[in-house]
Amino acid sequence: MIANFFDKTKPINFLVLSVLVFIIFLMAIFRGNSEPLSLYFFVKTGLFLFLAVLTVFVVNFIIRKNSLTEDNSYAMLFYILMSSFFPESYTNEGVFIANFILLLAFRRMYSLRSSIETKEKIFDAAFWIGIASLFYVWSLLCMILLYAAILIFRKIDWRNFIVPIIGVTTPVFLSYTYLLAFNDVERFRNLWTLSFDLSSMNYHNAQFLIPLSLIGLMALVSIYPTTKRSLLAKIDFKATWTLLISHIGISLLISLIAVEKNGSELIFIFFPLSILFANYIQVINRYWLKELIIYLFLITFVSNFI
């Protein structure tokens, strides 16, 4: 029943998913809120709620525009449910904003499969990465993904390797100039503190271990049949799938090196994994298995807020 409901992209699907985001966001905000209730708090919460809903629509736009899945809502559903496993992904403002901005960069990266406005797309992607790095410095690792996209989609031109450097440094230079004008260079230095921590002790807690085990198992089960299927697809989809696998790897790296491991750092891996999971659901012939997978994610979501 649930699998059938999300098997198509219909207005009712967007409405249900928007309501689900609304519920998850409010539960995450008020459960972890330590700020006094004020006009500023409600205005800020309203803006971030709008951004949370908009994020889902941007995810869907990227997927539809680049044909990353078939015409269904599975990817949006998995994205929302994975974010519900780690409510801190909504409450960590810097990471939350950086993730949204990176989605705008990914929109341009995946569209490199076409030969229209190649240099503009490369510049835009790098520019968005530069802005995201001002909110979360390790967003810069997505530059590796951008260069991977240039190679994978065969946009090999010496100018295409220089354009990303110009794009990513532009917002960084502008922010430095702005802070310098107000004699606040120290703030810029703090933004660019490249600290990392490879410890995984926090993930041993049941709060993280159960959802991470589900996501990890789903990823391991999904990757072989979906990759095998992509090898039989058209050449442009093969390239796109190679980029997606690279995207998963780089997003995982960003999460693993995070200093603050409270679940919010995992937000970067939700987008590529949601596409992987949606493609896996598409190749499953057994209806009961589709239902089982979705119910497992829903049960994990509900248990996380009990």
Side-chain angles (χ1 to χ4, degrees):
M1 182 178 176
I2 294 180
N4 277 341
F5 180 78
F6 292 104
D7 195 48
K8 295 293 181 183
T9 304
K10 301 175 183 177
I12 186 65
N13 295 66
F14 289 106
L15 178 61
V16 170
L17 290 172
S18 296
V19 171
L20 186 58
V21 171
F22 179 82
I23 294 170
I24 294 170
F25 180 86
L26 291 184
M27 291 176 72
I29 290 296
F30 287 103
R31 189 175 76 166
N33 176 51
S34 57
E35 293 184 45
L37 299 181
S38 62
L39 178 62
Y40 169 76
F41 170 78
F42 286 110
V43 170
K44 184 182 72 171
T45 300
L47 289 173
F48 275 90
L49 174 58
F50 171 75
L51 196 61
V53 176
L54 184 60
T55 296
V56 178
F57 283 90
V58 172
V59 166
N60 181 65
F61 177 80
I62 298 170
I63 292 170
R64 298 278 77 79
K65 191 74 173 178
N66 298 286
S67 302
L68 299 177
T69 69
E70 295 174 3
D71 184 24
N72 57 60
S73 305
Y74 293 134
M76 287 189 291
L77 176 64
F78 281 120
Y79 183 92
I80 294 168
L81 291 177
M82 282 190 286
S83 67
S84 75
F85 297 165
F86 310 100
E88 291 78 8
S89 61
Y90 289 106
T91 57
N92 189 326
E93 296 172 6
V95 169
F96 183 72
I97 295 172
N99 178 67
F100 178 79
I101 295 171
L102 285 176
L103 286 174
L104 303 179
F106 301 147
R107 180 181 75 88
R108 301 301 270 172
M109 282 188 214
Y110 281 92
S111 67
L112 282 172
R113 63 190 296 181
S114 73
S115 300
I116 302 171
E117 299 180 334
T118 297
K119 289 178 178 57
E120 288 84 351
K121 291 175 182 177
I122 293 172
F123 178 86
D124 289 350
F127 185 81
W128 287 121
I129 292 171
I131 295 177
S133 70
L134 299 175
F135 293 93
Y136 188 70
V137 68
W138 288 116
S139 300
L140 283 174
L141 288 175
C142 289
M143 286 295 290
I144 300 173
L145 186 64
L146 177 55
Y147 278 106
I150 293 171
L151 294 172
I152 290 168
F153 291 122
R154 301 180 184 278
K155 309 300 179 183
I156 303 173
D157 180 325
W158 67 270
R159 287 167 293 191
N160 291 343
F161 290 93
I162 296 175
V163 168
I165 299 173
I166 299 171
V168 74
T169 55
T170 299
V172 175
F173 175 75
L174 290 175
S175 67
Y176 175 79
T177 305
Y178 174 81
L179 292 173
L180 182 64
F182 287 91
N183 196 28
D184 195 10
V185 180
E186 187 62 30
R187 184 179 176 185
F188 182 83
R189 293 197 188 99
N190 292 335
L191 288 173
W192 285 81
T193 303
L194 296 173
S195 303
F196 65 92
D197 182 6
L198 297 176
S199 171
S200 60
M201 290 300 296
N202 286 5
Y203 297 148
H204 296 172
N205 187 303
Q207 177 188 357
F208 296 113
L209 192 59
I210 294 173
L212 281 176
S213 298
L214 176 61
I215 292 172
L217 179 61
M218 183 69 173
L220 290 174
V221 171
S222 302
I223 199 160
Y224 174 73
T226 51
T227 301
K228 181 181 177 181
R229 186 190 184 201
S230 73
L231 295 176
L232 302 174
K234 295 178 181 179
I235 188 69
D236 59 340
F237 188 76
K238 289 180 185 177
T240 301
W241 194 257
T242 302
L243 181 62
L244 179 69
I245 299 303
S246 303
H247 191 169
I248 292 172
I250 291 169
S251 299
L252 184 60
L253 176 61
I254 294 174
S255 301
L256 288 175
I257 65 175
V259 173
E260 188 178 5
K261 289 185 170 63
N262 58 9
S264 63
E265 72 284 356
L266 298 168
I267 193 173
F268 300 106
I269 204 168
F270 297 160
F271 174 63
L273 281 184
S274 65
I275 298 171
L276 175 67
F277 296 168
N279 276 274
Y280 179 59
I281 292 291
Q282 291 167 185
V283 302
I284 296 175
N285 295 320
R286 299 180 182 87
Y287 176 77
W288 66 267
L289 184 55
K290 292 183 181 183
E291 290 280 303
L292 177 62
I293 291 170
I294 295 174
Y295 272 114
L296 281 173
F297 273 79
L298 287 171
I299 291 169
T300 306
F301 152 59
V302 173
S303 63
N304 197 49
F305 283 96
I306 294 177

